[in-house]
Amino acid sequence: MLKAAGVGLGDEVIVPAYGNADVAEDVVLAGALPVFADIDPLTYCLDARAVDAVVSSRTAAVVVVHRFGRPADMGQLGAVGRRHGLLLLEQAEGDEAYGEVTRRRAHAAYLDARLSGVTTPEPVRGHTYEEYVVRVPGNGRPDRDAFARAVRSKGVDCRVPVKTPVHRLPQFRRDVLLPETERAADETLALPVQGSKSRRELQRLVSACNALGGLLQPAF
């Protein structure tokens, strides 16, 4: 799509650093330069104000990636794009069966009401919970990783959704200030909410997480 729109050598394309490197790699393949903007801490998607702050005379496009089944704020991002005359592209999410999404939303609501010691995702209209991503409070990555190991030891599957932001990868290393991206990479953990999960499995997940809730508090 970038090539078809005439984006190429000498152009800049604004992309998120929170996620995998695919989008930045596609920008490079088109001949353009990826420029990283920070994310909104609630949506994990590009923040419109951060995008506005890194627009330059060379900026040709913005690639918006919807994260974990929660849509980005396309209203605000669209306003930034129109103000600067930029191409706005979205990374499409896969089509999913209605029943699976409904079950995941029900599982997410169950966890929202029962989990403690972690920050649960903000419930919003349109969230499909492709991943149920919580934040583990504390002193950064060692706390989140210790929490994950403890939960796994109790038989609960979980994963770190973004281990290294793209701007810290060797091929894309940039000296940029992305505090929300860094914080999200250090604190987030994806818990299982697949539609196939049983109530018993969800109860075990809650028990495992809540038992650790007071273990990893910030040091003073």
Side-chain angles (χ1 to χ4, degrees):
M1 286 191 291
L2 290 168
K3 288 181 178 179
V7 175
L9 189 63
D11 291 328
E12 294 178 350
V13 178
I14 298 172
V15 300
Y18 184 73
N20 55 41
D22 292 355
V23 175
E25 289 171 349
D26 288 342
V27 171
V28 172
L29 287 174
L33 177 71
V35 173
F36 300 110
D38 211 356
I39 59 169
D40 181 299
L42 293 179
T43 67
Y44 302 108
C45 306
L46 282 175
D47 180 86
R49 290 171 296 181
V51 169
D52 196 39
V54 297
V55 172
S56 76
S57 60
R58 297 174 59 187
T59 306
V62 180
V63 179
V64 180
V65 182
H66 302 289
R67 290 285 177 220
F68 311 135
R70 171 162 181 166
D73 189 337
M74 295 306 296
Q76 291 192 28
L77 288 164
V80 172
R82 289 189 296 273
R83 184 161 62 250
H84 295 285
L86 306 176
L87 175 68
L88 195 66
L89 300 177
E90 298 178 66
Q91 186 182 64
E93 296 179 301
D95 294 331
E96 298 178 278
Y98 176 77
E100 169 66 15
V101 173
T102 300
R103 288 189 292 272
R104 283 206 306 259
R105 285 173 172 159
H107 292 345
Y110 179 88
L111 296 181
D112 287 346
R114 291 165 177 81
L115 283 174
S116 62
V118 298
T119 303
T120 57
E122 182 186 37
V124 295
R125 183 180 179 87
H127 203 322
T128 62
Y129 295 97
E130 288 187 5
E131 294 193 71
Y132 184 86
V133 175
V134 301
R135 287 182 184 253
V136 179
N139 301 316
R141 177 167 294 189
D143 292 347
R144 187 272 316 278
D145 290 350
F147 189 95
R149 287 193 297 271
V151 169
R152 291 189 191 109
S153 73
K154 295 178 180 294
V156 175
D157 187 29
C158 63
R159 75 178 198 90
V160 176
V162 177
K163 295 181 179 179
T164 306
V166 182
H167 72 292
R168 294 202 314 227
L169 297 175
Q171 67 270 38
F172 292 111
R173 189 169 296 279
R174 301 282 194 278
D175 184 17
V176 293
L177 186 63
L178 304 175
E180 294 300 342
T181 295
E182 298 279 357
R183 191 173 296 114
D186 286 345
E187 295 180 351
T188 50
L189 188 67
L191 301 177
V193 291
Q194 299 95 321
S196 59
K197 292 292 180 182
S198 67
R199 182 56 58 90
R200 181 183 293 270
E201 289 174 306
L202 293 177
Q203 290 171 340
R204 185 164 64 245
L205 186 159
V206 169
S207 296
C209 290
N210 289 358
L212 297 167
L215 178 64
L216 303 169
Q217 294 303 311
F220 295 100

